[in-house]
Structure formats: C-alpha cells, structure tokens
Amino acid sequence: GQSLEQPSEVTAVEGAIVQINCTYQTSGFYGLSWYQQHDGGAPTFLSYNGLDGLEETGRFSSFLSRSDSYGYLLLQELQMKDSASYFCAGSPSPGGATNKLIFGTGTLLAVQP
Amino acid sequence: NAGVMQNPRHLVRRRGQEARLRCSPMKGHSHVYWYRQLPEEGLKFMVYLQKENIIDESGMPKERFSAEFPKEGPSILRIQQVVRGDSAAYFCASSPLMRAETQYFGPGTRLLVL
C-alpha cells in the first residue's frame, strides 16, 4: 500500500533550525508536497519537490530523494507561530489519471521560547 | 480573490440523518478534492471531481457517501444515514487544471454525529 511516515512530535526552541523527515513505502509517487496546519484549520501549502534535490522558499526548504524514498522539510529561524502540524503528501505524475494527494501521518512541531 | 469556501463550518446530526457539505472552489479552479481528517490523524483522500465528472473516487466508502460537482453551483459531499464513525473534519481543496502539488484547502466542515 501507499504510506508516508513522519515523526509524531518534534520540539525546538525559537531561532533554531528543525528538520521534519518523511519516508514513504511506495513507488507510485512522483513528487512530494508539504502542508502546514494550525489547530485543525485549513492546511496551507508550503513547498513542493518535483525533482530530486533541495527547494528553498524563504525560511522553509524541502528536499526529496526518490532513490531513498525520503524527503524532509527544513524550517530555519524558528518562530513561535511555526508551532503547528506539518504533513508531507505524495502526488502522482502530472497528467496521470488522478490528482489525489496521499498525506503522511503528520508531525506536531512545538516551538518553545 | 476569495479562497475555497466551505459551509457549514460546523454540522451536528443525529444517527440516521443526512449530512450535506458544500464546497465552492477558488475562482478559476475546476478541480475539486474532498479529504477527511479524524482527530489526531492525517488527511485521507476521498474523491476527486471536475465539473460534472467524478475522476477518482477510490477513497470513498462504497455505501452512504456520494459526491457531485455540477456545472453550476458548489460541489456537494453527501453522507446518508450518518453513524458516529462519520464524525470528522471534512476538507475540500481545489486546484487549477491538474496541478496536484498545489491544492488550496478550505476551512473544513466539522461534522459531529450524536
């Protein structure tokens, strides 16, 4: 089956750097997206990797290695407002028969002062 | 430019009643997705629709659940004869064309079945 595993919780201090890992167990994913969700609200798109390597978007960076079935989200200069749940999501090939996202188990990030 | 709209935001139903959840995608988006989230869990894909077409319903329970996206009006997720296990947050997302990697989510509908 298709599954994406993440650590359930991560704690870090304000100003630090934190990495949230995502490993997956299927060959059916083309790209990996990352979403942020505050207190059960609307998930917000953060980053997408359609190619292997590092993508940088401000304080957030995301990495993908298809050969290792592994990706991560890197958050720099942590702020209190970054406390939230973070989900990786696998997506199929562009132009394929479906467009669904398969979400990971989620990581609850707690930023402490 | 308004985002994805969902209503109602909260819905309480008794066992056996019907629940109708509505979703209006972002302007210019013709692709709609429904996901379900149980407490403390991730989002689970349910169904993917384009205008007047169901593209992928592989995540939909075979009974009691149906979805539509008519030519005019919002997408509707319908749950008949609700049971307590249907209590969850239901999120709708939309995207332009078939760009799956960037889906824009609505605020969700919290369904509580008593």
Side-chain angles (χ1 to χ4, degrees), chain A residues 33 35 37 39-43 45 48 87 91-92 94-105, chain B residues 31 33 35 37 41-43 45 48 55-56 58 91 95 97-103 105-107 110:
Chain A
S33 302
Y35 284 80
Q37 186 181 37
D39 298 324
F45 172 79
Y48 171 72
F87 295 91
S91 55
T98 186
N99 218 24
K100 65 184 179 185
L101 291 173
I102 303 298
F103 280 83
T105 51
Chain B
H31 297 245
Y33 319 80
Y35 295 86
Q37 186 175 35
E41 293 188 11
L43 291 89
F45 169 79
Y48 161 39
I55 306 302
D56 182 352
S58 58
F91 288 95
S95 70
L97 303 178
M98 279 194 76
R99 291 183 60 82
E101 66 273 16
T102 311
Q103 294 184 12
F105 282 79
R110 274 82 182 158

Side-chain angles (χ1 to χ4, degrees), chain B residues 1 6 14 23 36 43-44 46 64 68 70 73 82 106 113:
Chain B
N1 186 14
Q6 288 188 251
R14 297 192 180 279
C23 169
R36 177 165 64 177
L43 291 89
K44 305 294 185 188
M46 299 183 74
R64 302 189 297 108
E68 63 177 7
V82 295
V113 180

Side-chain angles (χ1 to χ4, degrees), chain B residues 75-96:
Chain B
S75 175
I76 306 286
L77 179 68
R78 182 184 180 202
I79 311 173
Q80 296 178 288
Q81 299 173 359
V82 295
V83 301
R84 288 209 174 116
D86 297 331
S87 295
Y90 292 83
F91 288 95
C92 168
S94 71
S95 70

Side-chain angles (χ1 to χ4, degrees), chain A residues 11-60:
Chain A
T11 301
V13 296
E14 209 172 0
I17 299 172
V18 71
Q19 178 174 311
I20 299 174
N21 297 323
C22 174
T23 57
Y24 53 94
Q25 306 293 327
T26 180
S27 60
F29 294 147
Y30 175 82
L32 197 69
S33 302
W34 288 90
Y35 284 80
Q36 179 191 62
Q37 186 181 37
H38 280 101
D39 298 324
T44 304
F45 172 79
L46 292 177
S47 185
Y48 171 72
N49 292 80
L51 299 171
D52 285 1
L54 190 68
E55 290 286 337
E56 297 181 80
T57 309
R59 293 189 298 116
F60 298 160

Side-chain angles (χ1 to χ4, degrees), chain B residues 61-78:
Chain B
K62 295 291 185 248
E63 298 178 351
R64 302 189 297 108
F65 285 72
S66 62
E68 63 177 7
F69 189 16
K71 185 177 181 180
E72 301 290 338
S75 175
I76 306 286
L77 179 68
R78 182 184 180 202

